[in-house]
Amino acid sequence: KSYIIIGGGILGASAAYHLAKAGADVTIIDRNDPGQATDAAAGIVCPWLSQRRNKVWYRLAKGGAKYYPSIIGQLEADGETETGYKRVGAISLHTDVNKLHKMMERAEKRREDAPEIGELTLLTSEETRQRFPLLSEEFQAVHVSGAARVDGRAMRDALLNGAKKNGATLRQGDAGLLHEKNRVTGVQIADEVLRADGVIVTAGAWAKELFQPLGIDFLVTSQKAQILHLEIGGGETGEWPVVMPPNDQYLLAFPEGKVVAGATHENDVGFDHRVTAGGLYEVLQKATAVAPGIGDAAVVETRVGFRPFTPGFLPVFGPVPGLDDVWVANGLGASGLTVGPYLGSELAKLVMGETTELDPADYDVAGALG
Ligand code: FAD
């Protein structure tokens, strides 16, 4: 069967990879919007410490983290080794040791059905700073050995390359849906009309406008994030853990002195992809409070991305009600690097009529329609 996928972020790239590997004829169309979430994201995979109580979300996030070693192995078998993925562990910081004990308890409980969490260790402030030397002295930490980091850009490209190696075609352009009543008859890209047995929309924060001409009100909102890339001299940073401070920010490191600090959470600013003084100030102020050591780092770049959110902060995937042979997946919000490869694989199964691990009823697209 043939499928057209609109949107080549982590979700579309993963769906394309899995469908192409299963033998489908796949065309992916991506517009390269400035602010593609995947392109800006880098890249914490550590869902188990979240205090969010929504079980449906947690099941997806947990499944996403668990799927990583498998997808990395599949990509390696296809010759795609540049993903930036590494299980470097995470340190969750606090100044209050009681809070850390509570965190340990919660994580130990969750480990019962998520052994991939790995070892949980309470670190003294000295041990904490040994792991991530830029940190301020006042923090102790819980260390989670199973946590990982991944480079969103590299992971996306590995999935897209893997899809191409399995026969998929990647097109750059602005895709529109052509329709008659409840049937999408084709996909328009410039003057060309493409046809396929099915269409899959993984257009992130831009999906709303794609469905508008069909009279479908798809309720996705975007949240702007600014994230700062720094470079520190000397020191091998490739093994440094992800840092999760008590505030709403984080720090992580990649090889060769790359340190990433982020990110802002800016609602209701539309698709304004400028780096702003206020955004930079917020990131720097919060990051230096936790890690004064970054004061001496070189500023390399600031990336901007739009996190796509669907109602209730709950992702959706499945067929679009009222349309034949059109599927959508969206709403990955702040955890889409964690979840994207897994949900793309689940989506591919659903589209091919295979049994999924997740219950699609829990992530019903009807919940994202106005
Ligand atoms: P996107 O990556 O936004 O991709 C959508 C694509 O669709 C775009 O390329 C766009 O151009 C294309 N498109 C839209 N409309 C059309 C059209 N009509 N025709 C053609 N193409 C179209 N998650 C984590 O798990 N851990 C993290 O540490 C983390 N950090 C993040 C940091 C930042 C700064 C940001 C912004 C996000 C972060 N996330 C993180 C979240 C994660 O990046 C997103 O949830 C995820 O990338 C969303 O992927 P997506 O494929 O749904 O959308």
Side-chain angles (χ1 to χ4, degrees):
K1 286 214 169 180
S2 58
Y3 300 98
I4 298 168
I5 299 177
I6 303 178
I10 189 123
L11 195 47
S14 172
Y17 177 66
H18 289 93
L19 281 169
K21 254 179 67 143
D25 175 358
V26 176
T27 303
I28 319 148
I29 308 172
D30 189 73
R31 200 166 53 192
N32 287 351
D33 281 291
Q36 182 196 75
T38 305
D39 199 64
I44 302 174
V45 182
C46 182
W48 316 284
L49 302 182
S50 168
Q51 297 214 49
R52 195 173 164 187
R53 286 174 194 278
N54 188 305
K55 290 205 171 84
V56 172
W57 174 81
Y58 179 68
R59 208 173 299 142
L60 173 61
K62 185 182 96 166
K66 187 177 173 191
Y67 187 56
Y68 254 96
S70 162
I71 185 67
I72 295 295
Q74 294 175 60
L75 288 169
E76 275 171 8
D78 274 321
E80 294 300 324
T81 53
E82 302 290 314
T83 58
Y85 176 82
K86 194 169 169 71
R87 257 187 166 154
V88 290
I91 48 176
S92 185
L93 310 181
H94 218 286
T95 50
D96 179 349
V97 74
N98 289 324
K99 292 247 162 75
L100 292 173
H101 280 297
K102 291 226 169 74
M103 196 188 291
M104 282 273 277
E105 275 167 31
R106 274 201 312 273
E108 271 162 2
K109 205 142 184 238
R110 282 189 160 167
R111 190 170 55 180
E112 286 166 17
D113 65 350
E116 56 277 10
I117 290 181
E119 293 300 312
L120 295 160
T121 319
L122 201 59
L123 303 182
T124 65
S125 63
E126 214 181 351
E127 289 164 339
T128 304
R129 267 161 52 88
Q130 269 165 10
R131 307 263 182 164
F132 202 100
L134 309 177
L135 294 176
S136 151
E137 282 168 17
E138 76 247 40
F139 295 109
Q140 296 184 54
V142 171
H143 181 262
V144 184
S145 74
R149 49 107 170 124
V150 62
D151 179 338
R153 199 175 271 192
M155 185 66 194
R156 172 204 63 199
D157 288 345
L159 287 164
L160 289 174
N161 286 336
K164 283 195 265 181
K165 284 178 180 169
N166 284 280
T169 308
L170 177 61
R171 304 270 311 254
Q172 205 212 312
D174 180 9
L177 296 170
L178 298 171
H179 68 106
E180 275 165 24
K181 294 196 184 122
N182 64 339
R183 259 178 31 84
V184 166
T185 53
V187 171
Q188 177 131 23
I189 161 172
D191 296 336
E192 210 181 325
V193 174
L194 308 180
R195 299 195 196 274
D197 298 319
V199 175
I200 298 166
V201 178
T202 47
W206 297 270
K208 192 180 182 70
E209 63 186 41
L210 199 61
F211 284 114
Q212 233 149 25
L214 283 69
I216 292 173
D217 186 14
F218 188 72
L219 302 174
V220 57
T221 54
S222 74
Q223 183 188 63
K224 177 177 173 180
Q226 304 186 49
I227 184 166
L228 188 63
H229 287 238
L230 304 164
E231 200 169 303
I232 59 162
E236 186 36 66
T237 47
E239 301 285 336
W240 286 15
V242 167
V243 179
M244 301 159 81
N247 62 27
D248 62 354
Q249 303 284 299
Y250 48 78
L251 287 155
L252 59 155
F254 288 86
E256 292 164 20
K258 270 185 83 174
V259 174
V260 178
T264 61
H265 299 81
E266 301 167 63
N267 294 313
D268 306 318
V269 296
F271 290 105
D272 167 11
H273 56 81
R274 295 171 308 142
V275 173
T276 64
L280 272 182
Y281 175 74
E282 184 191 341
V283 170
L284 276 172
Q285 190 217 6
K286 289 180 175 169
T288 48
V290 173
I294 64 166
D296 190 42
V299 172
V300 179
E301 64 170 323
T302 306
R303 292 190 193 170
V304 175
F306 299 104
R307 303 182 185 99
F309 281 104
T310 36
F313 305 98
L314 192 64
V316 296
F317 80 110
V320 179
L323 288 180
D324 292 339
D325 301 318
V326 180
W327 291 267
V328 69
N330 207 313
L332 301 197
S335 42
L337 283 192
T338 306
V339 157
Y342 177 55
L343 194 62
S345 147
E346 289 283 279
L347 177 64
K349 284 187 201 157
L350 193 72
V351 166
M352 294 185 293
E354 293 173 11
T355 313
T356 51
E357 242 175 59
L358 298 167
D359 182 354
D362 287 339
Y363 308 89
D364 193 349
V365 176
L369 298 183

